[in-house]
Amino acid sequence: MADESAHGFARGLTNYGDFDFSLYLRKSFAASMGYSRELLEKPIIGIANSFSGFNNCHRHFPELLDAVKRGVLLGGGLPVEFPTISLGEIFLAPTSLKFRNLMSMDTEEMIRAQPMDAVVLLGGCDKTVPAQLMGAASADVPAVQLVAGPMMTSRHNAERLGACTDCRRFWGQYRAGKVSDTEISQIEGKLATTAGTCAVMGTASTMACIAEALGMSLPGTAAIPAVHADRLRAGEASGFAAAQMIQHPIRPSQIITKNSVENALRVLLALGGSTNAIIHLTAIAGRLNIRVSLQRLNQLSDTTPVLVNLKPVGSNYMEDFFYAGGMGAVLRELKPLLHLDTMSVTGETLGDRLEIDPSYVDHRIIAKADEPFEPQGGLVALFGNLAPKGAILKRSAADNRLFEREGRAVVFESLADLANRVDDPDLDITEDDFMVLKNAGPKSASGMPEAGYLPIPKKLSAKGVKDIVRISDARMSGTAFGTIVLHVTPEAEAGGTLALVQNGDRIRLSVANKCIDLLVDDDELDRRRSAWVPGVMPLNARRGYDRLYAAEVLQADDGCDFAFLRPVDTESTHP
Ligand code: FES
């Protein structure tokens, strides 16, 4: 008989029509890996390892993996590592987001199909943590997220450097002719010098903090630098915590709840975190039927102060955040705004955690709630006829002199069109115009790349223009900055109003009123809509994962998840 309460290698037996034989066979094959009989009887903690030679951010995982294994053994379990897809942000074409759902499917299915009582998720680079949390939420096996930790900074002459806000800063200076060919090539070798994720509050660090805020990571582990000995101790503790969950199982569905998702949104806003995190948190929550509403985001944003002074919004790096007090300090400052009854993988509530006396906090980096760096949250959702289902602006990383204005649209039909024309000396553009990029959303051939940070045309950057309103259905790297309206939904490829914008149209942006409108009358829009033809490649001309992706990907307000990966009773909002 199959035993549903079985542990270790007796879980989820391969079906040979004879359960006892299946268990016998499995143990004899497991024994071939050199395990003693004693270990073969232990509960199993799987370790989802996203190490890859194509992922520089995870290059220390072999050492971290050893630490996790030590912790599991200490906790009385048998650690069994298994590989999953890895998503190295810089090494994937057309963009890593396209493969996030594939990694989540891999993670979910391998957790479910293999015999493990709990799992440690070893991820870090931008899309890996969302993919693992999505997969773990769907598999709903007790899980502990362990992140890679951030890189250390480096130096160029007297300046500190950290990937990748400084990559963009120096590249902008190079485009403006202020940095030479020689210097830009020297800097190339100094931007990313250690293992770990990008050194600023980009997507990876934001998602690490969100995992901790949700309760899926151990308290205090989000910001520990990748190369610090504490990161290895966090690995050991995560393995131990996962082993503890064998006696007291806590499933992701008990941790990721409406209240913990709201806490995570508060943290995201207080961090001035990455815009990508909205999409990822929406997708993670969606796996458990929890809806993240952009209207609710705005309500939370208006009442959540920005508390950290980190790049790309501020001036410090993740290692400074760690030494300044990290997530514990942020959560303590936010305490009156948080739901304290949410649970973490330790079995403690957030309230229990925050009872502990604060250690040293450097308030130059983590502000007190009553003396915040900004009184309102870093992100705001915009609505209007240009984005009926919302768009996102990272107001904390934008120039507020551009927040209330009307501008003339300068339209780029695609990424290729942008690349071909943006530096054309004859491009008809001034600093008062709005650059509009179409066809870079989730359904586009580019799969919603981080291309929303449109380069400022050389003719303007040479004149010293540092920011200009930019609007698109693309995403933006968490390490970028500027007055950039992203995730316009519905996207152009799905027939959204964005597809109808033409050169010379007027667009009104009001951050105060949270709106973005195309100032073209409805009759004219109807006329344009009836003439519009989708440019996306038809399904029958695609194959493999590309076809699955094109058929199933949802819009940004649904987290760009696949419809069929959400719980079966979720009402489909497939466009
Ligand atoms: Fe991996 Fe930035 S490239 S986190």
Side-chain angles (χ1 to χ4, degrees):
M1 284 279 295
D3 180 359
E4 297 301 325
S5 63
H7 288 295
F9 283 116
R11 280 174 70 95
L13 290 170
T14 316
N15 198 344
Y16 293 111
D18 176 342
F19 291 119
D20 292 334
F21 175 69
S22 296
L23 181 58
Y24 174 77
L25 200 61
R26 179 175 284 176
K27 283 190 173 172
S28 50
F29 277 71
S32 81
M33 293 186 273
Y35 294 124
S36 63
R37 275 191 172 269
E38 193 188 353
L39 273 178
L40 286 176
E41 299 303 324
K42 298 272 185 199
I44 294 174
I45 307 301
I47 306 170
N49 183 9
S50 56
F51 174 83
S52 162
F54 287 108
N55 196 333
N56 60 295
C57 302
H58 296 186
R59 78 167 153 90
H60 57 313
F61 275 13
E63 193 182 23
L64 193 54
L65 180 65
D66 283 345
V68 177
K69 287 181 173 175
R70 284 199 299 274
V72 172
L73 288 168
L74 208 59
L78 171 62
V80 181
E81 160 206 2
F82 62 99
T84 68
I85 293 171
S86 187
L87 303 175
E89 184 64 22
I90 313 298
F91 299 94
L92 286 156
T95 182
S96 63
L97 180 64
K98 183 167 181 180
F99 305 102
R100 182 202 61 183
N101 297 348
L102 183 63
M103 180 173 175
S104 86
M105 289 165 69
D106 178 2
T107 305
E108 173 187 347
E109 297 304 336
M110 290 303 101
I111 290 173
R112 189 181 286 124
Q114 298 175 129
M116 62 194 80
D117 297 278
V119 61
V120 178
L121 308 161
L122 202 42
C125 194
D126 286 16
K127 310 303 178 292
T128 59
V129 170
Q132 291 181 328
L133 290 176
M134 290 160 72
S138 293
D140 211 21
V141 167
V144 179
Q145 180 76 58
L146 174 64
V147 299
M151 288 180 204
M152 303 299 282
T153 53
S154 174
R155 297 255 165 199
H156 174 61
N157 300 336
E159 269 190 89
R160 264 177 110 188
L161 290 187
C164 223
T165 303
D166 295 323
C167 320
R168 293 170 204 285
R169 184 165 59 86
F170 276 105
W171 192 252
Q173 290 175 12
Y174 174 63
R175 280 177 55 80
K178 295 188 180 127
V179 166
S180 68
D181 286 346
T182 311
E183 191 174 11
I184 198 76
S185 129
Q186 288 169 350
I187 292 166
E188 180 188 285
K190 299 176 179 173
L191 286 164
T193 52
T194 75
T197 49
C198 285
V200 298
M201 190 51 82
T203 305
S205 295
T206 305
M207 289 311 302
C209 292
I210 280 180
E212 188 176 326
L214 284 171
M216 289 297 296
S217 298
L218 289 185
T221 56
I224 304 167
V227 296
H228 196 293
D230 280 354
R231 174 60 53 202
L232 296 175
R233 281 185 276 273
E236 191 176 299
S238 298
F240 186 80
Q244 294 303 295
M245 287 204 285
I246 295 161
Q247 297 302 326
H248 309 285
I250 306 170
R251 296 181 182 278
S253 56
Q254 296 169 272
I255 295 172
I256 303 171
T257 60
K258 189 164 174 287
N259 282 353
S260 71
V261 169
E262 196 152 298
N263 286 347
L265 281 170
R266 289 272 189 200
V267 163
L268 166 62
L269 293 161
L271 297 174
S274 165
T275 48
N276 284 319
I278 291 279
I279 290 180
H280 299 320
L281 187 56
T282 301
I284 295 162
R287 292 298 182 93
L288 293 165
N289 239 342
I290 302 163
R291 176 92 189 156
V292 172
S293 134
L294 293 182
Q295 283 83 1
R296 182 65 181 146
L297 173 78
N298 278 345
Q299 289 169 354
L300 297 175
S301 194
D302 286 346
T303 55
T304 307
V306 176
L307 295 178
V308 303
N309 176 9
L310 295 183
K311 291 190 176 206
V313 174
S315 51
N316 298 288
Y317 295 88
M318 282 304 289
E319 67 199 66
D320 307 315
F321 180 58
F322 170 63
Y323 289 115
M327 275 293 292
V330 172
L331 291 168
R332 275 192 291 277
E333 292 299 330
L334 287 177
K335 187 174 175 183
L337 299 175
L338 299 175
H339 302 284
L340 300 177
D341 58 346
T342 58
M343 194 186 288
S344 88
V345 288
T346 61
E348 282 183 328
T349 65
L350 182 58
D352 295 335
R353 172 184 177 179
L354 299 183
E355 284 299 308
I356 297 166
D357 282 340
S359 49
Y360 168 74
V361 178
D362 183 342
H363 288 298
R364 291 169 303 177
I365 291 164
I366 301 170
K368 294 181 180 166
D370 53 3
E371 294 172 31
F373 295 115
E374 297 284 341
Q376 294 183 315
L379 303 177
V380 63
L382 306 171
F383 298 90
N385 74 343
L386 190 52
K389 292 192 159 190
I392 297 288
L393 172 77
K394 187 170 180 177
R395 61 182 162 190
S396 55
D399 182 345
N400 59 15
R401 290 169 302 180
L402 302 178
F403 282 5
E404 309 299 324
R405 61 166 51 201
E406 194 183 302
R408 182 184 67 136
V410 175
V411 177
F412 299 91
E413 292 294 329
S414 65
L415 286 163
D417 185 30
L418 174 72
N420 286 337
R421 292 195 298 120
V422 69
D423 289 333
D424 184 339
D426 295 328
L427 182 69
D428 177 15
I429 191 165
T430 74
E431 62 191 287
D432 295 323
D433 293 332
F434 288 8
M435 295 174 76
V436 175
L437 170 66
K438 299 179 184 177
N439 300 315
K443 281 191 169 297
S444 71
S446 51
M448 204 181 188
E450 292 183 340
Y453 178 72
L454 276 63
I456 294 176
K458 265 190 180 157
K459 66 190 280 187
L460 297 182
S461 61
K463 286 199 310 187
V465 175
K466 294 203 166 52
D467 198 4
I468 177 172
V469 175
R470 286 158 273 182
I471 301 167
S472 74
D473 45 12
R475 295 176 299 118
M476 174 173 87
S477 164
T479 60
F481 43 87
T483 309
I484 297 175
V485 178
L486 303 153
H487 311 175
V488 168
T489 306
E491 64 174 302
E493 287 284 14
T497 312
L498 185 65
L500 312 179
V501 183
Q502 295 182 353
N503 268 322
D505 286 348
R506 307 289 298 176
I507 295 175
R508 186 188 301 128
L509 168 68
S510 171
V511 177
N513 295 325
K514 302 185 174 70
C515 64
I516 186 150
D517 285 297
L518 178 63
L519 305 178
V520 173
D521 65 50
D522 288 346
D523 288 348
E524 173 61 12
L525 286 181
D526 287 345
R527 194 188 61 71
R528 292 184 192 177
R529 192 166 282 115
S530 52
W532 175 76
V533 241
V536 74
M537 188 190 288
L539 277 186
N540 60 9
R542 298 169 179 255
R543 61 166 297 283
Y545 179 70
D546 180 54
R547 182 164 174 159
L548 179 71
Y549 176 88
E552 296 292 340
V553 70
L554 298 170
Q555 294 286 282
D557 62 329
D558 280 325
C560 301
D561 202 358
F562 291 161
F564 70 90
L565 290 176
R566 307 209 301 178
V568 284
D569 55 345
T570 303
E571 193 182 323
S572 174
T573 51
H574 204 299

